[in-house]
Amino acid sequence: MYRKCVSAALAAAMLVSFPALAQDAPTSESQWTGSGELGLTSATGNARTQNINALLAVGLDEGRWHHDASAFWLRSRGEVDTSTRTGSTSAMEDTANRYGVAFSSAFDLSERSYLIGSLRYDHDNFASYLWRGVAAASYGYRWRDDARMRLVTEIGPGFRRSHDTSTGAVENEGIARGLVDFSWQLSDNTRLLDTFLVESGRLNTFVQNDLGLQVSMTERLALKAGYQVRYNSDVDPGFKKTDTVTMLNLVYSVK
């Protein structure tokens, strides 16, 4: 099932690797970075709800090469009333269950520009697409990237493979991928972050925006309030085009 998606992923990675073969990258000490986020909520009484979201991100810088990997999980459970002939009952049921992984490798062409190959997979039990895999090769440019502000854009072609929840059909299509990564240090301990991703093809246009405000408590611990919007232009009957998630997470970072 995944052979075509894997082949496309390898092709995207090769496209990024070819420029590196033509020139020697400067050697430097490898530098690892990492962060983890976790948010938990639980309510009891007149209504019962349980929610959890988690994110793990790891980065490795090796001279002109930059590698990033991440994984996320979102799950919500709520009390649902069910009517029967003998009355009504209530039980805890899943209302959201989404998880995914992503990986990218970038090679610097200059101080500001780079080529990047990216892979992304997500699975959602409550969406029009049960799962989706994307491979893309893009050109990136750092408009500004310092301690106070970061503005980076990426654009390029890709391939998407999706599983339609209602019909069970697997759809393949070429896409155009664009990304804007922005952050701004508002004060010594407060940072605004926003990541905008669009993947547009003939069958569907997917848009995701992650907005966050992070307040550092110590060198490694921070609190982060986040708001995520996900949009699909083409969905099956009974599904909404837009999903939103509001989060308050504890963040642990290693640099």
Side-chain angles (χ1 to χ4, degrees):
M1 178 182 295
Y2 300 100
R3 290 181 179 177
K4 291 184 179 180
C5 191
V6 171
S7 298
L10 292 175
M14 289 174 65
L15 286 174
V16 176
S17 300
F18 283 151
L21 299 177
Q23 47 189 308
D24 295 328
T27 58
S28 63
E29 185 179 353
S30 299
Q31 181 178 357
W32 288 90
T33 59
S35 65
E37 299 183 21
L38 180 64
L40 297 168
T41 62
S42 178
T44 60
N46 294 318
R48 292 186 297 163
T49 60
Q50 298 172 353
N51 304 287
I52 180 172
N53 72 87
L55 173 66
L56 179 65
V58 178
L60 172 62
D61 295 329
E62 294 182 302
R64 295 164 72 175
W65 283 99
H66 310 277
H67 312 285
D68 292 284
S70 63
F72 76 89
W73 180 43
L74 168 68
R75 187 181 184 187
S76 297
R77 291 173 61 82
E79 190 172 33
V80 177
D81 294 328
T82 304
S83 298
T84 63
R85 293 182 178 180
T86 57
S88 62
T89 59
S90 63
M92 295 291 289
E93 296 184 5
D94 286 346
T95 56
N97 187 30
R98 181 193 308 159
Y99 59 87
V101 294
F103 175 79
S104 67
S105 283
F107 178 79
D108 289 340
L109 299 174
S110 68
E111 185 178 353
R112 290 184 177 271
S113 63
Y114 60 94
L115 292 178
I116 181 169
S118 59
L119 303 173
R120 187 178 72 83
Y121 172 86
D122 65 42
H123 182 107
D124 193 336
N125 289 344
F126 294 86
S128 184
Y129 292 94
L130 179 63
W131 57 259
R132 176 180 289 146
V134 178
S138 305
Y139 171 80
Y141 191 82
R142 304 180 185 96
W143 300 91
R144 181 171 174 178
D145 192 4
D146 53 44
R148 181 159 181 79
M149 184 175 293
R150 171 180 169 87
L151 176 59
V152 176
T153 58
E154 297 174 3
I155 188 168
F159 174 82
R160 180 167 59 199
R161 186 174 172 86
S162 309
H163 183 280
D164 189 286
T165 301
S166 299
T167 65
V170 176
E171 302 171 345
N172 301 311
E173 62 177 327
I175 62 166
R177 173 186 178 271
L179 180 138
V180 179
D181 186 12
F182 173 78
S183 65
W184 182 18
Q185 192 72 33
L186 301 176
S187 65
D188 291 341
N189 67 335
T190 305
R191 193 169 187 87
L192 178 69
L193 309 102
D194 190 77
T195 302
F196 177 82
L197 171 68
V198 58
E199 297 165 346
S200 182
R202 178 179 58 87
L203 300 176
N204 182 63
T205 295
F206 171 75
V207 177
Q208 178 172 311
N209 192 80
D210 291 279
L211 177 65
L213 185 66
Q214 184 166 305
V215 180
S216 300
M217 298 181 293
T218 67
E219 184 178 350
R220 294 190 174 182
L221 285 177
L223 284 176
K224 180 181 177 183
Y227 184 70
Q228 182 185 84
V229 179
R230 290 164 61 100
Y231 169 83
N232 285 282
S233 63
D234 184 75
V235 297
D236 294 323
F239 291 93
K240 294 183 178 180
K241 292 186 177 182
T242 303
D243 294 302
T244 62
V245 180
T246 302
M247 298 164 282
L248 182 61
N249 294 349
L250 180 66
V251 182
Y252 181 83
S253 301
V254 178
K255 296 182 180 180

